[in-house]
Amino acid sequence: MSEITLQIDGREVAARKGMTVLEAAKKAGISIPTLCHHEKLEPYGGCRLCTVEVEERGRTKMVAACLYPVEKDLVVKTRTEKVDRIRKMILELLLAHAPDAFELQDLALEYGADRDRFEKESSFCLHCGLCVRYCAEVKKKNAIGFINCGTRREISFIPEIASKECWNCKECFPLCPTEALQAAFVLTKALVFPSPLSELKG
Amino acid sequence: MARINSAAELEELRKDIVSKRDAAKPCVAICAGIACLGPGNDRVISAFEEEIRKQSLEARVEIRATGCHGFCEKGPIAIIYPGEICYLQVTPEDVPEIVSQTIVGKKVIDRLVYTDPDTGEKAARQSEIPFYRNQMRLLTGNSTRINPKSIEDYLAIGGYAALAKALFEMKPDQVIEEIKKANLRGRGGGGFPAGSKWQTARNAPGEEKYVIVNAHEGEPGAFMDRALFTGNPHLVLEGLIIGAYAIGSHRGFIYTRHDTPQLRENIAIALAQAEEYGLLGENILGSGFNFNVEVHLDVGIFVSGESSALMRSIEGKAPEPRPKYIRTSVSGIWDRPSNLNNVETWANVPQIISKGSGWYGSIGTDRSKGTKLISLSGNICNTGVVEVPMGTPLREIIYGFGGGIPNGKKLKAVHFGGPMGGSIPESLIDSPLDFDVLAELGTSLGAGDMLVMDEDTCMVEMARYFLDFLSGESCGKCVPCREGIRQMLKILTNITKGKGKEGDIQLLEEIAGVAGEAALCSLGRSIAKPLYSVLKYFRDEFEAHIKEKRCPALSCQELAASGGAKEK
C-alpha cells in the first residue's frame, strides 16, 4: 500500500491509498463525529454527520468522510461554517426522535443544536442501522432488518429468526445510540405477535 | 425463420418483406396503448376483427394493433391507411360504419374526424391535425406504422440497418465518436452527454461490462418512455445493441416497472424475436459480436430509478442508492463498468448512426440536440405525448400542441421533472425547451414530463404534493433526506391548513439547504427543488398563506373555510 499525503484542517496527514478520509483523520488524531459508523462494519453513509468539505481541483464539495477515499493532495476541512450548519440540522432532526440519547446530547452541546426545534416523533430510532448491519455482517443471522421505505422506514425483527437467536445474543442492544429503546420495543413486539406479514403490510 | 447471417441478408430480408406487402391494401392502425385501454381500445380492436370477418374482408384488410399514437386526449384512435384517415374517440359502435364507409366505400365519416374547437374546421388526415402537424416525430412517427409485436414490421421500415452499419462499417471508437459529435444528451433528466459516458465505460478496466436501459419511469406525469418503448421496442433494443458494441459489453439489462404488463409483454416478444433472427445472442448478424439481454423488474419505489439504486436492485439487493464515491460507468453492477441510459436516449442511437451526427446536430439548439418527447398533462386541453425539436418555445407546446388551458382558465405555471424538478411561471413560457435554459430558470427538463397548471392551482399545495410523494418513494436511508422530507412535509401541510408560522419559510430553506448538500444520492439532494422553484417565483403565495391565512388560488379548503374564499 502506497503512502500519500493529504491536508486535513491545514495539517499534512499521511495516509494509505484505499483509506477513507475518516480513517486518515482518526489516524492523525483529528476527530470527526459519526453515528452510523462502526469499525467492524462496512461504511454506511446514512447519518451524514461526518460530512466534511473537500477541495479538489479548485472545487469544493460536501462529502461523507466515512466513505470518501483519500487522494494525494486532497484538502479536507472538518469544521467550517457550512459543515457545522449541516451537523447542527442533522442533530436537530434526530433529536426529534431521541431527545435524551447521550450521544446526541453531547453533540448537540458542541454544535449548538436545539433539542426542541422540531416536534417530537413517536419512534426513537435514528436509522443508523448498527443493529441491522451488526446482525447481518458480524453475527450473520439477519434477525433484524429494515422494512418499508421513505419516512415510513423502520427496524423490525424477523420473529422466526429472533425467537431462536435473540434471547442469548442481544449484542446489538449496546450498539444503539438511543439506549436500544426502539429495538427492545420491536423485539418484544416481534416475539409477542410473531406475524411477519402484518409487519410488512404496516 | 432462419437466422440472418450478414448485412446483405438483412437487406434481402427487408426487401422480401416489403415486396410481399401491398401498400395500397387498406390497414386499420388502432392505438392499443395503455392510456386508451380505459376508454376501451381493446373492444374497438375486437369490433374491427368481428366486422371484417362479418363482411368477409379478412384477406383484403389488415388490422394493426399499435403502440400509443400520442393524442391520448382523443383516444381510442384508429387510422385508416393508405388514406391516413384519422378517427378519434372511436367506440365499438362506430366500427361497422367505418368498415363499410371508409374502408370499403373510401368515404370520410365527418363526425369522427378532428374538429378544431375554435374554428370548427375539420381535419381528416392525421398529419393535418394541429396536435400532430408541427411535431417532429423522429422516434414516435413509426408507432402507427408498426405492430410492436412484429419484428417484420420493424425490419420493413429499415429496422436494424443502423446496427448492421455499426457492426460492419464502424469500429467501436467510431460509434462513440459519432454519438459524441451528435452531442446526444441523456434523456432521463441529467442531460449528461451519452458519448462521454460510453467512453468512460469503454475505457474503464475490466473485461465484463454492462449496458442498461433505464425504463423505470416513476415520476408523476411522465409517460413518454412507456409510450415509446411499448410502441416500438425494437428501436430501443437496436440502440442498446449498438451501445453494447461501442462500449464492449456482452450483457445488457432492461430495468422496468413490475406494473407495466403491456410493456413487459412487448419487450419479452421483441427479445425473443431478435434472438430468433440472429440480432441478439451469439455472433450477431454473423459479425462475431455476442450480446444478451435480461429484463429486471423493480419493487415499486421511485428511488429505484436512481442509477446506483437501480444497479443494486439488479444485483438482487434492496434498491437503496450506493454511497460510494465512484461513477457507475466505472464501477456499477457487481463493481463492474455499467453504462446506464434512459429509454429515449437509446432510441436516439440508431438514427444517429444511420443518418450521421451532422444531420442530428442540425436539429435543436446550440447545446440541446435532436427531438424530445414530452408527456403533457395537468390542466391542458390535449393530454398526450408529443415529440418536438429541442428549442421549441414552451408556449408553442402548451398552446400549439396542447391546445391551451381548458374551461377558459388562465395558465399559471408549468412544472417539469416531477419531484426532482421545478415550476416556472406563465411569464417565462416563451423560453425554449432546452436542458441548460430550463436549469438556469431553476427547473430541469427532467425526463420530459410537463405538468401544466391553471390559475386554480395552489403552488404551496403543489410543493407539498411532491414531498408527500417522496415521503413514500425515497429509500429512507439517510437523515437529511428522510428526516428532511418528514419535517418539510409537516411544515407545508400546516401552511396549507392555515397553521403556518412566521419563520416557516426560513426553516424550510434551511432544511432544504442541508438536504441539498448532505444527502446521500441525487434524489436526496433534489428533494427540495420543487419547493425552491415555488419559493423563487411564488413566494407571495406562501406569505399569503402564512400571514393572511389566505390561499390566493382559493384551493386550500381549510383556508377557504376560514374566510380565505371571500374574494370568490
Side-chain angles (χ1 to χ4, degrees), chain A residues 22 38 40-43 51-52 59 67-68 79 86 103 110 112 117 136 150 155 166 174 178-179 190 197:
Chain A
L22 181 66
H38 190 285
K40 284 185 183 164
L41 305 175
E42 285 289 310
T51 296
V52 294
R59 284 178 53 193
L67 286 152
Y68 202 81
R79 288 298 291 264
I86 289 170
E103 258 182 85
E110 186 170 352
R117 186 157 196 200
I155 51 165
C166 298
T178 74
E179 322 303 306
L197 277 178

Side-chain angles (χ1 to χ4, degrees), chain B residues 216-484:
Chain B
H216 189 273
E217 195 173 39
E219 295 170 11
F223 44 90
M224 56 274 141
D225 284 350
R226 186 180 60 192
L228 173 62
F229 206 176
T230 312
N232 195 349
H234 285 286
L235 179 67
V236 180
L237 187 55
E238 184 178 1
L240 180 70
I241 306 169
I242 295 171
Y245 168 71
I247 289 162
S249 159
H250 304 289
R251 189 169 172 192
F253 299 93
I254 294 171
Y255 189 82
T256 189
R257 301 173 61 95
H258 67 289
D259 51 4
T260 52
Q262 201 183 32
L263 172 59
R264 284 166 52 189
E265 185 189 348
N266 287 5
I267 293 172
I269 293 171
L271 291 178
Q273 287 175 337
E275 201 168 335
E276 187 191 336
Y277 279 67
L279 297 158
L280 209 55
E282 303 296 301
N283 193 19
I284 293 173
L285 287 175
S287 66
F289 176 64
N290 308 328
F291 180 62
N292 286 293
V293 178
E294 307 161 30
V295 178
H296 269 257
L297 302 179
D298 77 336
V299 289
I301 168 174
F302 178 66
V303 73
S304 306
E306 194 274 341
S307 62
S308 67
L310 183 153
M311 293 188 193
R312 278 180 58 105
S313 180
I314 288 177
E315 289 175 357
K317 298 176 185 148
E320 278 169 17
R322 185 184 67 165
K324 287 183 193 167
Y325 289 97
I326 183 162
R327 273 178 291 177
T328 48
S329 43
V330 175
S331 173
I333 303 172
W334 299 303
D335 296 327
R336 290 174 179 140
S338 306
N339 182 90
L340 176 78
N341 284 119
N342 153 279
V343 168
E344 191 182 332
T345 315
W346 289 117
N348 268 289
V349 171
Q351 59 176 357
I352 295 173
I353 298 304
S354 296
K355 299 183 192 166
S357 55
W359 164 81
Y360 192 79
S362 69
I363 306 160
T365 64
D366 213 21
R367 296 193 54 222
S368 299
K369 299 295 186 192
T371 58
K372 181 76 197 78
L373 298 191
I374 298 288
S375 58
L376 267 176
S377 66
N379 303 123
I380 185 99
C381 287
N382 299 336
T383 299
V385 179
V386 296
E387 182 178 353
V388 292
M390 288 283 195
T392 304
L394 305 181
R395 180 181 297 280
E396 198 185 330
I397 300 176
I398 298 166
Y399 290 99
F401 306 107
I405 316 302
N407 309 320
K409 295 283 180 185
K410 279 201 224 90
L411 172 67
K412 182 171 189 175
V414 186
H415 187 91
F416 284 95
M420 295 162 77
S423 298
I424 56 168
E426 191 268 346
S427 59
L428 291 172
I429 62 161
D430 287 310
S431 314
L433 188 72
D434 180 288
F435 284 113
D436 308 307
V437 171
L438 290 177
E440 272 167 38
L441 293 177
T443 176
S444 130
L445 179 51
D449 42 308
M450 194 167 160
L451 205 61
V452 182
M453 293 173 277
D454 71 13
E455 54 189 319
D456 292 345
T457 313
C458 170
M459 300 310 285
V460 182
E461 170 57 24
M462 204 279 310
R464 196 200 70 83
Y465 163 77
F466 278 120
L467 279 167
D468 186 39
F469 172 83
L470 286 174
S471 71
E473 300 290 331
S474 78
C475 74
K477 175 172 168 173
C478 80
V479 178
C481 177
R482 183 188 66 247
E483 300 302 327

Side-chain angles (χ1 to χ4, degrees), chain A residues 43-48 51 62-64 67-69 82 85-86 88-90 92-94 96-97 117-121 126-127 146 148-153, chain B residues 301 320 323-325 470-487 489-491 506-507 510-511 513-514 517-521 525:
Chain A
Y44 185 61
C47 73
R48 315 306 282 178
T51 296
M62 312 305 288
V63 301
L67 286 152
Y68 202 81
K82 213 183 210 176
R85 185 167 51 75
I86 289 170
K88 174 176 177 284
M89 175 59 75
I90 289 173
E92 287 169 339
L93 289 167
L94 292 176
H97 289 273
R117 186 157 196 200
F118 298 106
E119 199 186 39
K120 296 291 165 285
E121 297 290 335
L126 305 181
H127 299 75
F146 280 114
N148 228 321
C149 49
T151 54
R152 291 189 279 274
R153 185 174 166 109
Chain B
I301 168 174
E320 278 169 17
K324 287 183 193 167
Y325 289 97
L470 286 174
S471 71
E473 300 290 331
S474 78
C475 74
K477 175 172 168 173
C478 80
V479 178
C481 177
R482 183 188 66 247
E483 300 302 327
I485 290 172
R486 193 195 309 277
Q487 296 302 339
L489 180 58
K490 266 194 194 174
I491 298 167
Q506 291 70 25
L507 182 54
E510 206 183 313
I511 304 172
V514 169
E517 295 270 18
L520 188 151
C521 77
R525 285 191 293 270

